[in-house]
Amino acid sequence: MTSLPPIANDPDIRFLGTLLGDVIRDYGGETLFAATETIRRASVERHRGLADETAIDLQLERLDLDDTLEFVRGFMLFSMLANLAEDRQGIAVEEGADMAAVLDRLAGEGIDRDRVVALLEQGLVAPVLTAHPTEVRRKSMIDHRNRIAELMAMRDAGLAETPDGDAVEEAIRRQIALLWQTRALRRDRLGVADEVETALSYLRDVFLPTIPALYQRWDRVLGRRCPGFLRPGSWIGGDRDGNPNVTAASLSLALGRAAEAVIGHYLDTVHALGAELSISSHRAAVSDTVEALADASGDGAGSRRDEPFRRALSGIYARLAATHLALSGKPAPRPGRLHGEPYADPAAFRADLVTIARGLAATAGAGGGALASSGALARLIRAVDVFGFHLATLDLRQNSAVHERVVAELLKVAGVEDDYLSLDEPARVALLRTELANARPLTSRFQPYSDETASELAIVEAAAAAHRRFGTAAIRVYIVSMAKSVSDLLEVNLLLKEAGLYRPGDTPEAAIMAVPLFETIEDLDAAPAIMRDWLAMPENAVIAQARGHQEVMIGYSDSNKDGGYLTSTWGLSKGSTALTPVFETAGVGMQLFHGRGGAVGRGGGSAFAAIRAQPAGTVQGRIRITEQGEMIAAKYGTRESAATNLEAMAAATVLASLEPPRVSATESAAFGAAMDALSATAFRAYRDLVYGDDTFRTFFRQMTPIAEIANLKIGSRPASRTKSDRIEDLRAIPWVFSWAQARVMLPGWYGVGQAIAAHPDQGLLAEMAEGWPLFAATLANMEMVLAKSDMAIAARYAALVDEPLRPFFDTIRSGWDQTHDGLLRVTGQSRLLDKSPALEKSIRLRLPYIEPLNLLQIELMKRHRAGEEDARINEGILLSINAIATALRNSG
């Protein structure tokens, strides 16, 4: 076996780990500290080759149940602090993943800034926050972690005290003590309102200040005002697919709370500007427009008679406070002395701010001056451009099967068609098109409808109300999950028409875009034909051409669960490529929405590399990507990490759109043919294992903590789509999450080893690994998963399984060996992560802290499944799930 290079702890990890040890000693006692330290040291020595690798016994049996809970808490907190230290080092920052580097790279290819600006003027980069339940940590834990990050930054700057006068290192110790004393597990399942508030905390505290600051940086880099292409989105409060808890009331709550947050931010900024802009008309020339705004404000205070900017801002504040009341239903947190009329829309508010900005520039005359440059006012104007009064565009989503039932009921009650569900696709399409061309509504307030139909109608009515109240940017998209036909999209337009959001006529209009989500391998294959038929209909083409684009969402999660990692990756790439000429023929821009998760099996990994690896011609300056669960905190937990990740996403989009192809046509054809063969073999291997024998689902449920994960209370949505125990009906998140807990990581690699071994041209595969971005990114993500998996630990989980089912694990272990060996062969490495030293260090540092957690989890699961009823056993299992997920980072 290849010897591993020595590895040393990062100084930050040593410092934080020492403080955590002190806290454990102070609050848990010397005995707990000693036991924890003994287990920690033994595990570290074993993983670093300082002890016999086969000596897996870490003396965990010495821990009683109370000590077990405290031990798990300690290792969980160490992993959290280690994650923090790594994030501070910028391990996630990739070379060239910033706009300045991209502009230099493109300039070397003869692509100037004008072309970049032209792309961005029509562009869109949108991280979309979802409530998918993969974040196991409570928000309170994350808040303490972020405070430690702030304090560590003060320590870096050489500060001995915080601005409040606390000693910095003592303040860090205090936050770690608070973490130790904070309950890690939620007592109650999260509700939709909880998920809304969590998302708002990131949008308000991180996105609102960070995105305008990023634009200021890009303005300087471009040498002109950067077009507003980066805009956040959200599903939280609008995603109803499989979640009966999301209703019209949820939608209204999410929109109202978002308006309250964003207008509250504007009020604070305007108030601060009023304190700052103390310019006297005796000291500077003030434009007539500013004077007019000041005179209209109603601010007649004698102390501000010669301060027109302050008086103008007083009037702006009064109008903004009135807007806050009108849109959120609540008075402004800091009521002003003046009264004003609410702003009709964000554009009217922006116009007043621009008047102030131009007035500032005019105070220095023709020469400009310091007040004409960017600053808080410029950032506020940019914020209004990006966030409006809605903060983040909220998507609607529902399953196509629901729409079918609802439309069938509407048509029957209206006397149009008694049995819509029995119609074939051509008949459905013909009927729906006829109804969409008719301005007559189908619904009647005098008719009774089922609860499901009434709920769906209430949603579109709430969406129409949101457009009237917050503007059309509040909701732009209606996503159809499990889209399999054109009728699935027409049904959405029919529902939108009932609320006036789709208007028929010679030039039909759709205020909200129906977007198909293609999720399974079969659906991805069918996507080009469906979109060809969709855009061939004149009414749809007219709407799409007026909008400038049509969105298509492609799902990583279900395609992976359906066909395995390699087939999913290749199917998504091929599907995207095949869609491109369809849109070109229709004369419509294509916008892909990538439904990615945190785990590699659900599309996780480097967003920068993933976007750059997209097929040529598929990005076109426009891309949306879901951000969910633990990845929201990891990528957007602080302003610094948010700026890094948002810029990487933007930079990758520009490169993918404008950079010349990195693979020739000849290479592309050869590589594609090889990938077809690899995918076919991997698909067969994966399907044979997962779906070839019905008893595999029993093996899966016995080997992994899937049943225990359901008790985590980490989301408002059920784990399965139905009450069935079939893998087909299980959601992708718990499928991936549970394999990660058992250290198998099966969705991120199974089948690839068999595919590589069976391919006749190993040299070609090596060429692909070296020169094809798609294959290189695929292998890099899989390599990380292999490094985090552990077949020795997995074997302990397999021992939980009934004896007749254990041969499944032999198959899995053999597949892992093949995948491991094949990866090393085609990448030319002697060990995993040989060419990624920073990532190797990161993973190897945390492995010794994961193994004891796995072993304790297994022991607790045995006792729980044997019928022991001590509440501490269940709590220990849930804590261990939390701790392992924290240590693995991208496990969901």
Side-chain angles (χ1 to χ4, degrees):
M1 181 177 176
T2 305
S3 60
L4 297 174
I7 189 166
N9 273 351
D10 170 82
D12 282 353
I13 295 179
R14 282 201 302 272
F15 170 71
L16 293 170
T18 298
L19 291 185
L20 176 60
D22 293 342
V23 166
I24 292 173
R25 184 185 284 112
D26 291 343
Y27 290 88
E30 191 65 42
T31 301
L32 175 65
F33 172 78
T36 301
E37 184 61 15
T38 298
I39 295 169
R40 185 197 70 80
R41 189 179 298 113
S43 187
V44 168
E45 288 177 355
R46 195 180 78 79
H47 276 271
R48 294 188 183 176
L50 303 177
D52 183 0
E53 266 199 29
T54 62
I56 202 167
D57 183 9
L58 299 174
Q59 302 179 17
L60 296 171
E61 70 281 356
R62 296 184 180 182
L63 300 174
D64 62 24
L65 277 176
D66 288 329
D67 286 344
T68 294
L69 296 180
E70 298 300 88
F71 170 82
V72 172
R73 174 184 293 276
F75 269 43
M76 175 188 66
L77 294 183
F78 176 83
S79 296
M80 182 183 288
L81 295 173
N83 294 346
L84 182 156
E86 288 179 358
D87 291 343
R88 283 167 37 76
Q89 281 187 325
I91 286 177
V93 180
E94 295 159 271
E95 184 178 355
D98 62 89
M99 201 65 78
V102 164
L103 293 175
D104 289 343
R105 186 185 186 98
L106 291 176
E109 300 283 355
I111 299 170
D112 61 18
R113 280 165 165 71
D114 288 340
R115 283 190 60 187
V116 174
V117 171
L119 174 80
L120 297 181
E121 284 175 345
Q122 303 301 317
L124 174 70
V125 173
V128 180
L129 307 187
T130 81
H132 286 48
T134 61
E135 174 58 85
V136 294
R137 297 170 298 172
R138 291 179 63 212
K139 183 65 167 55
S140 298
M141 304 286 283
I142 296 171
D143 289 342
H144 288 309
R145 179 255 189 219
N146 290 343
R147 178 57 180 159
I148 293 170
E150 294 173 3
L151 292 165
M152 290 292 286
M154 295 180 196
R155 182 172 179 264
D156 292 342
L159 299 178
E161 293 183 352
T162 69
D164 296 325
D166 294 329
V168 169
E169 294 198 4
E170 187 56 37
I172 296 171
R173 185 193 302 269
R174 182 174 182 274
Q175 289 297 318
I176 294 175
L178 286 169
L179 275 173
W180 179 261
Q181 298 283 57
T182 297
R183 173 169 44 82
L185 299 175
R186 297 184 180 93
R187 293 196 183 279
D188 301 307
R189 180 171 293 280
L190 283 176
V192 178
D194 301 312
E195 293 167 339
V196 167
E197 291 306 314
T198 298
L200 276 179
S201 69
Y202 290 102
L203 290 166
R204 178 188 61 240
D205 301 338
V206 178
F207 283 77
L208 261 171
T210 300
I211 289 180
L214 267 178
Y215 275 114
Q216 278 195 322
R217 182 190 306 169
W218 296 337
D219 290 347
R220 292 191 294 270
V221 168
L222 286 170
R224 66 194 82 175
R225 195 170 196 272
C226 180
F229 68 99
L230 174 64
R231 299 170 184 271
S234 174
W235 277 11
I236 304 171
D239 178 14
R240 308 184 311 291
D241 182 17
N243 191 347
N245 301 308
V246 177
T247 63
S250 304
L251 183 65
S252 298
L253 171 71
L255 292 165
R257 290 289 292 122
E260 182 181 351
V262 71
I263 298 173
H265 173 80
Y266 297 158
L267 284 165
D268 289 343
T269 308
V270 169
H271 179 76
L273 283 169
E276 177 184 338
L277 298 184
S278 56
I279 299 167
S280 169
S281 55
H282 299 314
R283 300 284 304 156
V286 178
S287 67
D288 292 341
T289 52
V290 172
E291 289 283 7
L293 201 57
D295 292 341
S297 70
D299 185 355
S303 60
R304 288 189 290 276
R305 239 188 339 264
D306 65 330
E307 296 174 340
F309 286 95
R310 278 183 164 168
R311 290 195 295 123
L313 286 164
S314 293
I316 291 172
Y317 188 95
R319 295 195 65 187
L320 200 53
T323 308
H324 186 283
L325 178 61
L327 296 187
S328 74
K330 299 177 183 178
R334 186 192 295 112
R337 297 174 299 100
L338 307 177
H339 297 283
E341 288 296 317
Y343 282 109
D345 51 41
F349 173 42
R350 185 186 191 278
D352 281 354
L353 296 177
V354 169
T355 296
I356 298 292
R358 289 175 176 166
L360 286 174
T363 61
L371 296 180
S373 63
S374 60
L377 179 58
R379 289 191 296 275
L380 177 57
I381 291 171
R382 178 67 82 171
V384 177
D385 289 340
V386 173
F387 302 106
F389 289 156
H390 63 283
L391 184 57
T393 298
L394 183 62
D395 293 353
L396 304 179
R397 185 171 78 128
Q398 182 56 285
N399 195 287
S400 61
V402 175
H403 300 141
E404 286 181 349
R405 294 193 296 268
V406 170
V407 167
E409 182 175 352
L410 293 179
L411 292 171
K412 183 176 182 177
V413 170
V416 176
E417 170 57 54
D418 282 342
D419 194 1
Y420 172 77
L421 295 179
S422 70
L423 300 180
D424 61 17
E425 177 65 8
R428 288 188 182 191
V429 168
L431 174 58
L432 292 169
R433 292 182 72 189
T434 298
E435 284 300 317
L436 283 167
N438 190 336
R440 165 190 53 77
L442 282 173
T443 55
S444 167
R445 62 192 178 96
F446 301 109
Q447 293 285 358
Y449 295 100
S450 67
D451 290 345
E452 181 177 62
T453 294
S455 177
E456 294 303 308
L457 291 173
I459 284 287
V460 292
E461 289 294 345
H467 274 208
R468 294 189 294 270
R469 191 172 185 183
F470 305 105
T472 58
I475 302 173
R476 294 188 181 277
V477 163
Y478 193 132
I479 297 160
V480 185
S481 298
M482 292 296 175
K484 299 179 183 298
S485 63
V486 167
S487 65
D488 288 338
L489 300 178
L490 292 173
E491 287 162 0
V492 168
N493 279 348
L494 192 66
L495 293 176
L496 293 173
K497 182 169 81 76
E498 292 303 303
L501 295 169
Y502 180 98
R503 296 179 179 274
D506 294 336
T507 305
E509 300 175 0
I512 293 177
M513 173 172 41
V515 172
L517 168 50
F518 300 113
E519 300 179 75
T520 66
I521 300 299
E522 182 181 357
D523 293 344
L524 288 166
D525 290 341
I530 293 172
M531 296 314 298
R532 186 179 299 110
D533 292 345
W534 173 257
L535 293 172
M537 297 177 184
E539 63 272 31
N540 297 331
V542 165
I543 291 169
Q545 286 162 358
R547 186 187 299 115
H549 67 276
Q550 166 69 46
E551 181 171 283
V552 173
M553 186 173 184
I554 51 178
Y556 290 69
S557 301
D558 283 283
S559 60
N560 176 281
K561 185 164 70 72
D562 180 44
Y565 175 57
L566 194 68
T567 300
S568 170
T569 300
W570 183 229
L572 289 160
S573 179
K574 284 191 5 176
S576 301
T577 301
L579 283 167
T580 305
V582 172
F583 280 77
E584 288 175 350
T585 300
V588 174
M590 180 173 72
Q591 177 173 297
L592 291 181
F593 185 7
H594 296 257
R596 289 162 51 98
V600 166
R602 300 182 51 245
S606 163
F608 182 72
I611 295 171
R612 292 196 66 198
Q614 293 303 305
T618 63
V619 178
Q620 303 176 9
R622 303 185 69 88
I623 193 167
R624 297 208 303 152
I625 298 176
T626 55
E627 301 282 18
Q628 60 195 49
E630 77 279 16
M631 299 315 296
I632 295 177
K635 296 172 70 172
Y636 308 113
T638 67
R639 295 180 187 181
E640 293 74 19
S641 62
T644 296
N645 285 289
L646 290 170
E647 181 152 30
M649 191 184 297
T653 301
V654 173
L655 274 179
S657 303
L658 296 177
E659 191 177 27
R662 290 181 281 170
V663 176
S664 69
T666 302
E667 288 175 322
S668 183
F671 294 170
M675 198 67 160
D676 280 335
L678 290 170
S679 175
T681 304
F683 180 76
R684 285 193 299 271
Y686 177 85
R687 294 289 301 187
D688 286 347
L689 174 70
V690 176
Y691 300 106
D693 186 331
D694 276 347
T695 60
F696 183 81
R697 61 183 171 183
T698 304
F699 165 81
F700 160 65
R701 291 182 180 278
Q702 289 184 2
M703 179 178 172
T704 72
I706 177 66
E708 291 78 7
I709 286 169
N711 294 323
L712 265 179
K713 300 179 176 63
I714 58 177
S716 65
R717 195 171 70 162
S720 287
R721 291 187 171 92
T722 71
K723 294 182 179 179
S724 159
D725 69 345
R726 299 192 321 150
I727 293 171
E728 293 92 332
D729 296 324
L730 183 69
R731 293 193 182 279
I733 288 171
W735 167 253
V736 171
F737 195 92
S738 53
W739 283 119
Q741 286 287 312
R743 300 297 296 285
V744 180
M745 311 286 195
L746 183 139
W749 59 266
Y750 193 81
V752 181
Q754 295 93 319
I756 291 174
H759 198 274
D761 191 343
Q762 297 290 300
L764 176 61
L765 300 186
E767 288 181 40
M768 292 162 58
E770 180 67 28
W772 190 18
L774 173 66
F775 198 55
T778 300
L779 293 183
N781 289 334
M782 187 180 74
E783 186 176 6
M784 177 184 66
V785 168
L786 291 174
K788 289 183 177 181
S789 62
D790 188 318
M791 288 300 107
I793 296 294
R796 296 294 187 102
Y797 282 90
L800 298 171
V801 176
D802 293 340
E803 189 75 39
L805 299 176
R806 292 180 188 175
F808 281 122
F809 182 69
D810 296 333
T811 302
I812 291 172
R813 181 158 44 192
S814 174
W816 189 94
D817 290 338
Q818 276 190 303
T819 305
H820 170 272
D821 296 346
L823 174 78
L824 296 185
R825 188 163 59 250
V826 300
T827 58
Q829 298 181 106
S830 60
R831 67 176 190 278
L832 293 177
L833 303 176
D834 190 10
K835 298 178 181 178
S836 305
L839 182 57
E840 179 187 41
K841 175 184 174 183
S842 167
I843 292 174
R844 284 181 57 203
L845 272 172
R846 67 191 61 242
L847 288 180
Y849 297 87
I850 307 175
E851 179 182 288
L853 296 169
N854 285 120
L855 298 178
L856 284 169
Q857 184 182 88
I858 292 166
E859 184 58 32
L860 292 168
M861 287 168 62
K862 284 181 186 176
R863 296 174 65 174
H864 178 67
R865 294 177 181 185
E868 290 193 41
E869 296 181 354
D870 192 314
R872 293 173 296 176
I873 293 175
N874 188 55
E875 183 180 356
I877 293 171
L878 299 181
L879 268 177
S880 69
I881 292 171
N882 190 314
I884 292 167
T886 299
L888 290 172
R889 304 207 75 173
N890 53 348
S891 60

